[in-house]
Amino acid sequence: GDDATSSVLSIARRKHKRITQIALGQDRGGELWRTVHLEMEVGGWVVLQNAHLAVHTVNAIEKKFVEASSGEAGMTRHASFRLWITTQEATDMSVGLLLMSMRVSCEAPEGM
C-alpha cells in the first residue's frame, strides 16, 4: 500500500505546522504519550506510523483522548492539534478511535 506520511508532511510544510513523526512497532508508550500530550496542548501535529504494528498502543491512546475530551487529567486540546495515524488493515484496532476520526484511504480495501 501507499504510505500517506509524505503527503501529511507536505501539507504540514505548506501550513507551517510543527510536526513530529513516531514510527510504532517498539514499546514507546510513555514517550509516545508525552509527545502527543505536548503537541495536543501547543497545537502541533503528530504522525504515528505503522499503527498495525502496535495496536495495543493506539488503543491506549483512544482512552487518553476520551479522558482529555471529558476534561479529566487536566488536559486541554489546542484547536490546531492533529494526530495522523498510518496503518495497514488491523482487525483489532479500536472501533471507537475510528469512529472519532476522519479517515483517508490511499488504497481501496481489497474487494472494492
Side-chain angles (χ1 to χ4, degrees), residues 7-78:
S7 296
V8 172
L9 294 175
S10 176
I11 293 167
R13 277 191 298 274
R14 281 197 319 264
K15 293 186 166 284
H16 306 287
K17 295 293 181 181
R18 177 169 126 169
I19 190 162
T20 303
Q21 296 177 74
I22 300 174
L24 298 176
Q26 302 170 8
D27 185 14
R28 302 176 72 167
E31 171 194 353
L32 169 78
W33 182 245
R34 280 188 297 278
T35 301
V36 171
H37 185 223
L38 170 68
E39 298 303 334
M40 184 187 301
E41 289 188 334
V42 300
W45 289 9
V46 178
V47 178
L48 301 182
Q49 298 170 282
N50 303 318
H52 57 283
L53 300 176
V55 172
H56 64 283
T57 301
V58 175
N59 290 344
I61 288 174
E62 176 195 3
K63 291 179 182 138
K64 296 280 190 183
F65 279 150
V66 169
E67 290 173 6
S69 296
S70 68
E72 294 178 39
M75 290 184 268
T76 58
R77 187 183 66 80
H78 192 283

